[in-house]
Amino acid sequence: DEMSSDDDSEDDNVRVDDVMVSSSEDELEESANGAGHFDTTEREMTRERRLAEGLSLSCSMSEAPDDEVRALVRKVSARLEEVDGAKEAELERDAERADMRDAEDLDEDGLAIAAAREKALMGDRSNCAGETSKIGGWDYGVEEAQEALRAFMEQINTRSNAANSYAHVGAVHVANAKGMTDAIMDTVDAGRPMCCAVGAGRRVAVGTDGGFIFLQRETKDKDTEVSCLRTANNFAGLSVTPSVTSLCFSERGEWLLAGYDDGGLALWDIKRNPTILKTIVGAHRTPVVALSMLPVLNASGAVDAISSEEGGLVIHHTFSPLGMGVIRVKSTSLGERTFVIAAQAMPRAHYTSAAEINAHENGIISPTWGETPSTFDAAKHVADGAGIVALCTMNAVLIMRLHPRAEVIAKIVRPPNTDMKVLPVMCWSPRNVDDIVVEEDVENCNLVVVWGSSVYVLAVKVEATRALQKMNSEHDKRSGNASQVLKSWSFDSNISVGAVAVAWLTQGVICVLSDRQKLHVCTPEGVNIEQMSLNEPPSSREITRTSHGQEVGSERLQCWNSTVTMHGVYLAILSPSRLRLGKLLGWRERVHAKKNANDWVGAFETLLQARDQKVAVWPILPKKFNDSELTKKKTLEILIELVPKFLIQSLSARAPQVDNPVHQDAISRVVLGLFLAFDALELLYSPTIFGVFLHSKCESAFLERIVPHVMSDKLRALPVEVMQALVDHYAALGDADVIEKCVLHMDVESLDLNQVARLCKQHGMYSAFAHVFTRVLNDFTTPMETMFNASLTPVFGDKTRVRQLLLFMLESMRGKPFPTGQGELSKDLVARVHMEIMKFLFAPVALDSLVNTTHDMDRRVCIAWHAAMQLASNSKILNLPPARLLYLLLAEPKASSTVLMEAIKDWDASESEILNLEEASSERMGSQIIAEAAVFAAKACGEADLPTSRSSLLIFTASIVGAGRAAVAQSVEEDLLEALVCASTVNDKVDREEAMVSILGRRIDEGTMPQNALNVLKLASEAHFVQAEAVIQMAHGDHISAIRAFAADRHYYTAATHYADVLLGKAEPGMLRAQQSNAGPAVGRAQPLDPKDIESFRKKLLEDMPAILHISAEVCARIAVAHFPEAQPEVLRALSPEPMLQFQYLRQVLEAAHESSESKYSPYDMTLTDLVCATNHLVTSEMNELYFRLMCQFEPQGVLRFLLSNAAHELDSEKCLSYCQEFHVNDAVAHLLEHSGRFEESLSIYLQNYSTTIRAMAQLFAPSGAQWAKTASTDSLMKGFTIEANDALNVAVSLCRRVAGQAERGDEMWWSCLDSIIRSLDELSGGAYARVRAVLHEHLEDALRVMLGRVDNAQILEMLVSRHGNRDISELRKLLSRVFSNCSLEREFLKAEGSSVAEEAEKKAEEDSKIRRRGRRGTQRVLK
């Protein structure tokens, strides 16, 4: 842009009609010395010289003909004008739309506005979801409630500056056994605690190194007592009581077996007063480290026990009661070098007792869970009859069965890569009768074994006794190990290093105690439930491990056996200073434990999990005892119990930051979220809960949280006090719409009607008022009166209330409940409502009683009303319109018209019937009264200068009168027609025209044409009321004029063709058919012609084709193809006086002929394309040829595109070429020449077009020459010329690429392209042409790049030197150097890429070869 000449800076526009290049000889002589201008003689001499040199194909800028330059300028300028015209038209349309929006009296769609407001009040589900997004959206469940709880917890932690502000309470609750600990500490010489045991009935025993046994038992009143047991030293005659090293209870907890450090054993009876039943001396020589008592198998009461000493001896004892307190003992050695450090008998199968079920239903895990033994059944309880015990050694876990004989059935060895210092710990899974599965006399029993941080869950196969005896009798041998790993996982080494003990409390919970004082609670599948820290590790003892080999030695290993024990759901951990007891908690126990620890978040989270049975340890009983509905009921009871306590504590004056709105909002979220998750939102408003909110500083936050749930239909009722509080809150905020939304979403029958009615009137909630009265009382009159009065005061003509009233009437008459639109009203109720609405409108009310001078007034309504009052006072009309009806028509003309039209659509009644008058004082029909009121209101609007309102009322009146529902005086009707035509409004033009057609149609049907019919016709024509104009012409039988009128209809675009189809019997008559074809109401009145008149009509129609074509070429083509398919020559002859009309007609027909149609409609619905396709012999070769010739004449820019399409395949190429040459369609001529093999002539034309464009471009910047009248932007023209030049050069170069190899002078064709550019560069010198030269340089570079590789580089240089050697080619030399350099770099890059690819391929081939050689060698070895 900066390179443009100074001449253009003054006026930068060029007019198209002025010739760009000088045409007079004087001007040529004056500009002969100016660059870019050459006289004719010089141009001819230059051309002759080029021909002599053999360069006839190229063309320089100076050789471009003047007429072609002028044509190019017109073409580019016309294109620019078309673009500018489109922009201006769009700007004008925008301005027109803006004017319409800004018009003072624009008639809005009041009903649509009112409906939008009611829809906003009701809200759809997506909007409600958006409003409830702050509290979790629509499906507010457990996850959302937990999110609210977590947010609340974060606030608590932030305020307390502590990550954990409450004691940890988990699935397993561990607490200090204070009574037992105090008893040990208070006993003199008790010594250090050494071992402990847990038994049935919550019995706990602790042994000390002072020889004391402390026993804790439950009393009858569920309290606990601690007894101290001590054995006199009768074992070895020593005076010192030996230390207690191990303890174990019998299955029922009635016996306690104690082992001592001197190897002795003592069996205690602890059922009542603890006494010693039996002592065993000499069985062991070293301290007893492990004891285990098996369940009782039979009625004899014999109990098996396993004892192990530190020296490695393992003994099987059988205690058989003989009565009178006498016990017989039988001891058998099971091995002397076994070194068992722990033993555990498989628990007996138990069944679920009633106490356990009751406890389970109340969210408690029964203390006696797992202690109710089932009746022994050898077939079902295989493991019970086998007497299975697990023996834990330092390097393996042995599974031994004692019956029918003692044998090891499985051995679980130390896993590889496990430190030798790590000792195993193990525990059996509890067994419930309902969960036992026996297949082929084999029961799978589960065992967990932990080595360090690695956990293994195994299944041990136990065979039935009879199967084992059968196997022994057949001398079969058992093959393989009887254990299988079901699941294994490892704890994180950062969390735990080694396991001290493991306890399998229920089928779903395993507890692992690590040496880092961590208690890990997980599932048998390895899912971590939680972990908790213990303040003090359990007591340990050292066990000697002896090494055998070259260097015999021993080492001491830490062992915690007998200090961590479990039974049922209880766990005991013995530390040097105290005894801690743990219990697996049920959901209720956990909730209360967390609540007591002030962990409200944990308590509510546990409650939510329990409700959905997602508690981590759920269930502890067989699934058949789980009742989800009962659980939901129980958890809801606990929620109602806990929430008031939570609110009181959180909202008390002593609570931190109780005045913080964020804290208040968080509390509201938590409480609402909980009740929503429990689907019990209505319980939130009980006095115990809502009362706390109502009298706290959290009231506002709580009330605001209610609204989204009401809007989402989750809360359908509110107590009176809650409703009152909600109204007071939002009334204080000035947001009554929120209250109205709530009322509309509630169950109205649950509300206090008096309260709601009073609140609705007080706060202007009239939609809610109508909703309540219509739904509960079926009262439609009271809402109408209330809304009507509200539109009068405090603002007279309040549009919002008027529109609301009209919408209420419309929806009620349509049978839709207002404002919800949900459901339907009964037909009987709709009929009654219809009558009530008309009675309300027609009720006698004085006109002057509606206005109070103290009222505020809407300006437009006020003006219209005062005009109506003035008209009423000056009018001699006896029956003035009803006041309410007139008021609504003046306040909302369009909306009122819609409502009233709905009222009288299929219904009418006399005024006496409507008003229930005893005497038939008035027989005027309701539609007549409405029409008279509309005429009166239209006159008032005319007096008040409100054209839009007047137009709406006139349209409405005309529709009633036209339908024959009302009658007006003839003078009034004529005035009505004139008013419809002369109205200045634009947006209702179609409605006004249809109303006018209805009146005219009725008058025509009655045979009473208006006296001023000609005047009406003239007005309709001037207003472009095509339908109305055609109705009058149809009435006079002038069908041709009617078709002309219809052809100009842009709204009903099929009116003319459908009318002709009806007249000629090719379409069905009638209004319905016309509406379906979008032909308009006037066409709906058309009837088929009499058969004898059809031929004369066809003749007239054919003669009138030029006139119709002048109006619409599409309509003309549609009629001609539909009704004159075999008479196309006659149609063309009729159009021959005007060739342009012929061209437009042929274009419509031929374009339709070459389009594909898949229409399946009837012939009457066919488009022009369908009709042409259905007429096989319609299009002839003569028509195609004529169309092509006319296109060359009138639309030359589309000729080449037509030749490239399939439509031109049947044309004669020679005739096409002659037509194109006749009308100078150069691009089409070049295409046809190329198509015929005359490549050089084709190229010459392309290059001439290119040079013409360059010359036109240069003329823009010529310092002298023709003076143009400026109207177009130089930059715009330059851009257009550049596009044309690029296209021309690309076409020429593409031609060379396609045919240079076939042509005799292919190299000369390439050189001609290059020479045309270089010669134009030589002819342009000086800074004025810098922009043109820049374009030429780009073209030259592009052409050279295409030529490289197709024409030898040396030949290009030789031709340049030989033909331009006498000129300065320094710029050309620089350009060539740059092009050649870039191309060489590109070739080098491609060469390098090719070599790289080749190297990669060679490398891959070599690797494949090596692989194949290895494969062959391997095959050979296998064969050998």
Side-chain angles (χ1 to χ4, degrees):
D1 296 342
E2 296 176 356
M3 297 180 182
S4 60
S5 62
D6 296 337
D7 294 342
D8 297 329
S9 62
E10 297 178 358
D11 192 352
D12 216 19
N13 294 326
V14 180
R15 193 172 62 197
V16 177
D17 295 334
D18 291 337
V19 180
M20 289 183 58
V21 194
S22 303
S23 58
S24 65
E25 295 180 359
D26 296 337
E27 290 177 347
L28 285 172
E29 291 175 359
E30 291 177 0
S31 60
N33 297 327
H37 297 276
F38 302 87
D39 59 15
T40 307
T41 304
E42 182 179 353
R43 187 180 299 117
E44 291 177 355
M45 292 175 61
T46 303
R47 184 70 175 174
E48 291 176 358
R49 184 173 67 253
R50 303 302 298 174
L51 290 171
E53 295 175 359
L55 301 176
S56 59
L57 301 182
S58 65
C59 181
S60 69
M61 179 192 72
S62 61
E63 298 173 2
D66 294 348
D67 56 345
E68 292 185 8
V69 175
R70 297 188 188 99
L72 178 64
V73 173
R74 291 191 184 96
K75 175 183 176 182
V76 174
S77 300
R79 186 184 302 159
L80 294 174
E81 288 180 356
E82 183 179 352
V83 173
D84 294 340
K87 292 181 179 178
E88 291 178 1
E90 183 63 27
L91 291 175
E92 290 178 359
R93 286 192 294 269
D94 292 342
E96 183 178 350
R97 286 192 291 266
D99 293 340
M100 291 179 64
R101 286 193 299 268
D102 296 338
E104 179 180 357
D105 195 38
L106 181 63
D107 191 13
E108 298 175 317
D109 190 350
L111 291 174
I113 296 173
R117 179 185 179 276
E118 302 304 327
K119 183 178 180 180
L121 281 175
M122 289 302 302
D124 53 15
R125 291 191 67 87
S126 59
N127 291 336
C128 293
E131 293 184 17
T132 58
S133 60
K134 294 182 180 180
I135 54 171
W138 269 84
D139 299 325
Y140 197 99
V142 175
E143 294 181 0
E144 289 76 14
Q146 288 177 340
E147 180 183 353
L149 287 169
R150 284 191 290 270
F152 180 69
M153 181 177 65
E154 290 176 2
Q155 293 183 16
I156 294 176
N157 294 339
T158 302
R159 290 194 299 271
S160 62
N161 296 320
N164 294 307
S165 58
Y166 48 81
H168 179 83
V169 178
V172 177
H173 180 57
V174 180
N176 181 28
K178 191 175 183 303
M180 180 73 80
T181 301
D182 292 346
I184 296 173
M185 296 302 174
D186 294 342
T187 302
V188 180
D189 298 332
R192 182 170 62 91
M194 295 290 292
C195 58
C196 67
V198 181
R202 302 181 65 182
R203 296 179 174 90
V204 183
V206 175
T208 66
D209 59 0
F212 288 87
I213 299 176
F214 294 90
L215 177 64
Q216 177 177 292
R217 295 175 297 176
E218 276 192 352
T219 60
K220 293 181 179 181
D221 55 0
K222 300 300 180 181
D223 200 358
T224 58
E225 64 176 7
V226 178
S227 305
C228 180
L229 313 180
R230 190 175 186 184
T231 306
N233 186 14
N234 298 323
F235 301 127
L238 302 177
S239 59
V240 179
T241 302
S243 301
V244 181
T245 55
S246 61
L247 294 168
C248 74
F249 286 97
S250 63
E251 176 191 12
R252 299 181 180 180
E254 298 175 350
W255 291 353
L256 175 63
L257 183 61
Y260 296 87
D261 64 351
D262 62 353
L265 298 173
L267 181 64
W268 291 80
D269 182 1
I270 58 173
K271 187 175 182 180
R272 296 179 180 84
N273 294 325
T275 57
I276 294 179
L277 293 177
K278 190 70 175 182
T279 58
I280 302 176
V281 180
H284 294 282
R285 298 178 298 277
T286 58
V288 178
V289 296
L291 290 174
S292 179
M293 300 183 72
L294 279 69
V296 178
L297 296 180
N298 48 49
S300 64
V303 178
D304 292 318
I306 299 294
S307 63
S308 172
E309 64 175 60
E310 189 173 335
L313 177 63
V314 180
I315 300 177
H316 172 207
H317 308 277
T318 301
F319 298 94
S320 301
L322 300 179
M324 303 300 292
V326 178
I327 300 294
R328 184 178 65 187
V329 180
K330 178 183 178 181
S331 300
T332 306
S333 173
L334 298 178
E336 297 184 357
R337 302 294 296 175
T338 309
F339 297 101
V340 174
I341 58 176
Q344 186 183 31
M346 179 183 294
R348 183 172 177 178
H350 67 278
Y351 69 89
T352 304
S353 65
E356 291 173 344
I357 296 175
N358 294 334
H360 168 76
E361 291 175 350
N362 289 283
I364 300 171
I365 297 180
S366 172
T368 60
W369 183 83
E371 296 180 0
T372 308
S374 61
T375 304
F376 176 72
D377 187 341
K380 296 182 179 179
H381 307 157
V382 173
D384 292 338
I388 304 299
V389 63
L391 305 177
C392 185
T393 68
M394 295 183 182
N395 295 308
V397 176
L398 306 177
I399 310 300
M400 176 173 283
R401 69 180 297 155
L402 301 179
H403 304 285
R405 64 175 184 274
E407 61 176 331
V408 175
I409 61 174
K411 182 178 181 180
I412 304 161
V413 299
R414 180 186 297 274
N417 302 324
T418 303
D419 191 350
M420 295 301 293
K421 294 183 179 180
V422 174
L423 300 179
V425 292
M426 48 60 179
C427 185
W428 288 104
S429 166
R431 299 166 62 231
N432 192 287
V433 173
D434 298 311
D435 297 329
I436 293 176
V437 177
V438 178
E439 295 181 355
E440 297 181 356
D441 290 334
V442 176
E443 178 185 348
N444 285 331
C445 303
N446 294 336
L447 176 74
V448 59
V449 180
V450 185
W451 299 81
S453 60
S454 299
V455 182
Y456 298 88
V457 177
L458 304 101
V460 178
K461 297 180 180 180
V462 180
E463 297 177 351
T465 302
R466 60 176 178 272
L468 191 63
Q469 293 172 348
K470 181 180 180 181
M471 183 185 301
N472 293 335
S473 64
E474 296 176 356
H475 305 285
D476 293 336
K477 292 185 178 179
R478 187 183 296 105
S479 60
N481 200 338
S483 64
Q484 178 185 2
V485 177
L486 300 178
K487 188 72 176 179
S488 64
W489 73 91
S490 297
F491 290 106
D492 188 353
S493 59
N494 296 326
I495 300 176
S496 174
V497 174
V500 172
V502 61
W504 200 324
L505 298 182
T506 69
Q507 291 94 333
V509 178
I510 295 176
C511 296
V512 180
L513 180 62
S514 71
D515 57 2
R516 288 191 174 181
Q517 306 176 35
K518 297 284 187 180
L519 184 63
H520 302 272
V521 183
C522 56
T523 65
E525 290 76 24
V527 178
N528 184 53
I529 297 174
E530 63 183 10
Q531 63 178 2
M532 55 187 299
S533 298
L534 300 178
N535 298 329
E536 187 177 357
S539 300
S540 64
R541 65 159 62 98
E542 290 185 347
I543 296 180
T544 303
R545 181 202 295 274
T546 303
S547 302
H548 301 278
Q550 296 179 356
E551 297 181 0
V552 179
S554 61
E555 59 178 335
R556 308 292 292 182
L557 299 179
Q558 294 290 323
C559 178
W560 289 267
N561 179 46
S562 298
T563 59
V564 181
T565 60
M566 56 82 60
H567 178 81
V569 294
Y570 284 96
L571 179 70
I573 303 174
L574 182 64
S575 62
S577 61
R578 56 181 170 173
L579 174 68
R580 282 165 294 177
L581 296 179
K583 180 182 182 292
L584 181 64
L585 301 181
W587 62 264
R588 183 191 291 261
E589 294 170 302
R590 291 191 215 177
V591 168
H592 284 288
K594 290 176 183 289
K595 185 262 295 184
N596 294 335
N598 287 327
D599 181 11
W600 287 105
V601 175
F604 289 135
E605 281 187 342
T606 303
L607 202 59
L608 288 169
Q609 294 171 0
R611 176 190 179 275
D612 294 332
Q613 297 192 7
K614 293 181 180 179
V615 175
V617 297
W618 192 280
I620 64 163
L621 298 179
K623 294 182 179 179
K624 70 177 184 179
F625 297 111
N626 288 333
D627 187 344
S628 59
E629 294 302 323
L630 181 60
T631 301
K632 291 179 181 179
K633 178 181 178 182
K634 296 288 185 178
T635 51
L636 182 58
E637 292 175 357
I638 299 299
L639 177 69
I640 297 173
E641 175 188 339
L642 291 182
V643 167
K645 299 177 181 178
F646 165 71
L647 291 175
I648 293 173
Q649 181 176 336
S650 302
L651 298 175
S652 64
R654 293 178 295 177
Q657 296 191 7
V658 69
D659 297 328
N660 188 347
V662 178
H663 175 74
Q664 298 170 0
D665 185 68
I667 295 174
S668 301
R669 288 189 63 189
V670 169
V671 176
L672 282 168
L674 289 170
F675 279 91
L676 279 169
F678 276 83
D679 195 20
L681 196 59
E682 66 281 356
L683 299 178
L684 179 62
Y685 305 103
S686 61
T688 56
I689 299 176
F690 180 72
V692 179
F693 272 119
L694 192 60
H695 299 93
S696 69
K697 297 181 179 180
C698 197
E699 177 187 4
S700 298
F702 175 71
L703 292 172
E704 291 174 4
R705 285 286 172 187
I706 293 176
V707 174
H709 304 293
V710 176
M711 291 293 295
S712 61
D713 296 329
K714 290 183 176 292
L715 187 60
R716 301 284 293 164
L718 287 176
V720 174
E721 59 275 9
V722 180
M723 188 68 188
Q724 187 63 51
L726 187 67
V727 171
D728 293 343
H729 173 72
Y730 279 100
L733 298 176
D735 197 357
D737 282 349
V738 176
I739 310 171
E740 190 168 17
K741 290 178 182 180
C742 292
V743 174
L744 291 175
H745 283 78
M746 290 182 184
D747 182 8
V748 293
E749 295 181 358
S750 65
L751 300 177
D752 185 336
L753 295 183
N754 293 328
Q755 181 197 33
V756 173
R758 177 177 52 81
L759 293 175
C760 290
K761 283 187 176 181
Q762 181 180 356
H763 299 286
M765 302 183 298
Y766 297 104
S767 295
F769 185 87
H771 175 65
V772 172
F773 271 77
T774 55
R775 290 294 296 273
V776 179
L777 304 176
N778 277 340
D779 183 358
F780 290 80
T781 302
T782 302
M784 286 190 292
E785 292 176 347
T786 304
M787 284 188 272
F788 184 84
N789 294 332
S791 71
L792 301 175
T793 179
V795 178
F796 182 80
D798 189 342
K799 282 184 173 293
T800 301
R801 299 307 168 208
V802 172
R803 291 168 177 172
Q804 192 176 28
L805 171 60
L806 292 172
L807 182 64
F808 172 67
M809 293 178 176
L810 182 65
E811 294 296 308
S812 299
M813 286 188 292
R814 289 177 175 175
K816 296 181 180 179
F818 178 86
T820 61
Q822 298 175 358
E824 293 184 359
L825 303 179
S826 65
K827 293 183 179 180
D828 294 339
L829 182 59
V830 170
R832 181 173 68 81
V833 170
H834 207 140
M835 185 63 75
E836 288 183 4
I837 291 174
M838 301 305 295
K839 184 177 181 180
F840 168 78
L841 293 174
F842 291 176
V845 178
L847 293 178
D848 54 359
S849 65
L850 300 183
V851 182
N852 189 333
T853 56
T854 61
H855 294 169
D856 294 332
M857 295 189 180
D858 180 271
R859 178 178 175 274
R860 191 189 66 81
V861 180
C862 177
I863 294 173
W865 185 259
H866 282 296
M869 295 298 99
Q870 187 69 27
L871 188 63
S873 61
N874 299 332
S875 175
K876 297 180 180 179
I877 301 176
L878 298 178
N879 296 320
L880 291 175
R884 290 173 176 169
L885 178 61
L886 179 62
Y887 172 78
L888 294 177
L889 287 170
L890 293 175
E892 275 293 330
K894 187 175 181 180
S896 298
S897 300
T898 303
V899 174
L900 294 172
M901 186 59 71
E902 179 71 24
I904 62 175
K905 180 173 63 175
D906 299 319
W907 176 92
D908 208 350
S910 66
E911 185 177 10
S912 300
E913 292 174 341
I914 295 173
L915 298 178
N916 293 327
L917 300 177
E918 296 181 358
E919 297 181 359
S921 58
S922 175
E923 294 301 327
R924 289 190 305 165
M925 302 302 291
S927 55
Q928 182 67 36
I929 298 173
I930 291 173
E932 293 174 358
V935 171
F936 187 88
K939 291 181 181 179
C941 291
E943 296 292 334
D945 193 19
L946 299 173
T948 304
S949 299
R950 177 174 177 269
S951 177
S952 298
L953 293 169
L954 291 176
I955 294 171
F956 170 59
T957 306
S959 62
I960 299 176
V961 175
R965 303 296 299 278
V968 294
Q970 186 173 358
S971 60
V972 175
E973 191 173 87
E974 293 177 356
D975 293 341
L976 190 61
L977 291 173
E978 185 175 351
L980 288 172
V981 175
C982 299
S984 59
T985 54
V986 178
N987 55 340
D988 60 348
K989 180 181 177 181
V990 176
D991 295 333
R992 288 188 285 115
E993 184 179 9
E994 291 181 353
M996 186 174 182
V997 169
S998 66
I999 294 178
L1000 290 173
R1002 184 180 63 81
R1003 295 291 295 271
I1004 292 171
D1005 293 340
E1006 293 175 354
T1008 56
M1009 281 291 292
Q1011 296 179 357
N1012 59 344
L1014 296 178
N1015 184 40
V1016 172
L1017 178 62
K1018 180 181 177 182
L1019 292 174
S1021 178
E1022 292 175 353
H1024 301 290
F1025 276 19
V1026 173
Q1027 296 282 323
E1029 183 181 356
V1031 165
I1032 298 176
Q1033 291 166 342
M1034 290 164 58
H1036 290 88
D1038 190 355
H1039 301 299
I1040 299 298
S1041 298
I1043 289 179
R1044 289 184 187 178
F1046 285 136
D1049 197 336
R1050 295 294 177 264
H1051 182 73
Y1052 298 109
Y1053 54 88
T1054 64
T1057 57
H1058 187 75
Y1059 181 62
D1061 292 343
V1062 172
L1063 292 177
L1064 295 174
K1066 289 192 175 183
E1068 298 175 3
M1071 191 64 67
L1072 178 62
R1073 189 67 185 151
Q1075 291 176 353
Q1076 293 174 349
S1077 300
N1078 193 30
V1083 181
R1085 299 178 52 80
Q1087 296 295 326
L1089 292 173
D1090 192 274
K1092 64 181 180 180
D1093 297 331
I1094 290 180
E1095 191 60 33
S1096 61
F1097 173 73
R1098 284 172 54 86
K1099 184 178 180 180
K1100 292 180 182 178
L1101 186 61
L1102 184 60
E1103 293 174 352
D1104 201 58
M1105 281 296 173
I1108 298 175
L1109 187 59
H1110 267 295
I1111 301 171
S1112 173
E1114 183 179 359
V1115 170
C1116 179
R1118 173 69 171 76
I1119 293 176
V1121 173
H1123 302 290
F1124 305 100
E1126 304 296 337
Q1128 291 303 307
E1130 289 81 354
V1131 176
L1132 292 173
R1133 278 196 299 271
L1135 301 175
S1136 59
E1138 299 187 47
M1140 184 62 183
L1141 296 181
Q1142 281 185 323
F1143 173 63
Q1144 293 178 358
Y1145 172 75
L1146 287 172
R1147 178 166 57 185
Q1148 291 287 333
V1149 174
L1150 294 181
E1151 286 183 358
H1154 295 293
E1155 290 180 4
S1156 61
S1157 176
E1158 299 179 357
S1159 177
K1160 297 181 180 179
Y1161 296 106
S1162 65
Y1164 307 133
D1165 292 319
M1166 285 185 175
T1167 63
L1168 180 58
T1169 302
D1170 301 327
L1171 286 170
V1172 173
C1173 293
T1175 310
N1176 298 327
H1177 304 289
L1178 174 66
V1179 180
T1180 64
S1181 58
E1182 291 80 6
M1183 293 174 63
N1184 274 323
E1185 184 178 336
L1186 177 60
Y1187 175 62
F1188 184 79
R1189 188 180 186 283
L1190 293 173
M1191 180 181 290
C1192 292
Q1193 181 179 357
F1194 297 109
E1195 195 176 321
Q1197 66 273 14
V1199 173
L1200 179 60
R1201 185 170 61 253
F1202 180 78
L1203 288 172
L1204 296 174
S1205 66
N1206 296 329
H1209 288 173
E1210 299 179 359
L1211 294 176
D1212 188 345
S1213 300
E1214 293 299 328
K1215 288 185 178 181
C1216 291
L1217 180 60
S1218 64
Y1219 292 148
C1220 292
Q1221 289 174 339
E1222 177 185 355
F1223 295 103
H1224 303 287
V1225 188
N1226 291 338
D1227 54 354
V1229 171
H1231 170 76
L1232 292 170
L1233 288 173
E1234 178 189 350
H1235 189 68
S1236 61
R1238 299 154 67 178
F1239 304 131
E1240 296 180 3
E1241 295 181 43
S1242 176
L1243 179 63
S1244 178
I1245 294 176
Y1246 287 141
L1247 293 178
Q1248 184 177 348
N1249 292 343
Y1250 175 74
S1251 299
T1252 300
T1253 308
I1254 297 300
R1255 186 179 179 198
M1257 192 184 302
Q1259 194 67 28
L1260 289 174
F1261 306 100
S1264 60
Q1267 297 297 322
W1268 303 343
K1270 312 242 175 154
T1271 58
S1273 168
T1274 300
D1275 289 337
S1276 299
L1277 285 172
M1278 182 63 184
K1279 185 182 297 184
F1281 291 149
T1282 303
I1283 294 173
E1284 293 289 334
N1286 292 339
D1287 292 342
L1289 182 61
N1290 289 336
V1291 171
V1293 172
S1294 298
L1295 175 63
C1296 293
R1297 293 175 66 178
R1298 291 194 303 271
V1299 303
Q1302 308 172 22
E1304 295 179 0
R1305 296 194 301 167
D1307 292 345
E1308 182 63 31
M1309 292 178 66
W1310 281 110
W1311 174 250
S1312 298
C1313 294
L1314 199 63
D1315 189 59
S1316 297
I1317 304 173
I1318 295 174
R1319 291 172 61 195
S1320 297
L1321 272 171
D1322 293 340
E1323 294 171 1
L1324 292 174
S1325 60
Y1329 303 105
R1331 293 179 66 179
V1332 185
R1333 290 177 64 84
V1335 174
L1336 289 171
H1337 277 111
E1338 292 179 3
H1339 291 171
L1340 182 60
E1341 185 173 353
D1342 293 340
L1344 285 171
R1345 286 184 181 277
V1346 178
M1347 291 176 64
L1348 292 175
R1350 294 179 174 85
V1351 181
D1352 186 64
N1353 296 350
Q1355 185 180 356
I1356 294 175
L1357 294 174
E1358 181 182 353
M1359 294 177 69
L1360 287 173
V1361 172
S1362 63
R1363 300 182 183 184
H1364 297 279
N1366 58 343
R1367 301 184 183 181
D1368 182 10
I1369 58 172
S1370 56
E1371 293 185 4
L1372 184 60
R1373 185 181 296 110
K1374 294 178 182 178
L1375 177 63
L1376 290 172
S1377 300
R1378 185 171 69 252
V1379 172
F1380 290 153
S1381 174
N1382 291 341
C1383 291
S1384 63
L1385 290 175
E1386 291 174 1
R1387 289 195 181 93
E1388 291 177 1
F1389 174 75
L1390 293 175
K1391 184 177 180 181
E1393 287 291 324
S1395 63
S1396 175
V1397 172
E1399 291 176 1
E1400 290 290 336
E1402 291 176 0
K1403 187 176 180 180
K1404 183 70 170 59
E1406 185 177 355
E1407 291 178 356
D1408 292 343
S1409 178
K1410 290 180 180 180
I1411 293 172
R1412 286 194 296 272
R1413 287 198 297 271
R1414 293 194 197 99
R1416 284 196 294 269
R1417 288 197 297 269
T1419 304
Q1420 292 172 359
R1421 286 196 296 270
V1422 171
L1423 292 175
K1424 291 178 180 180

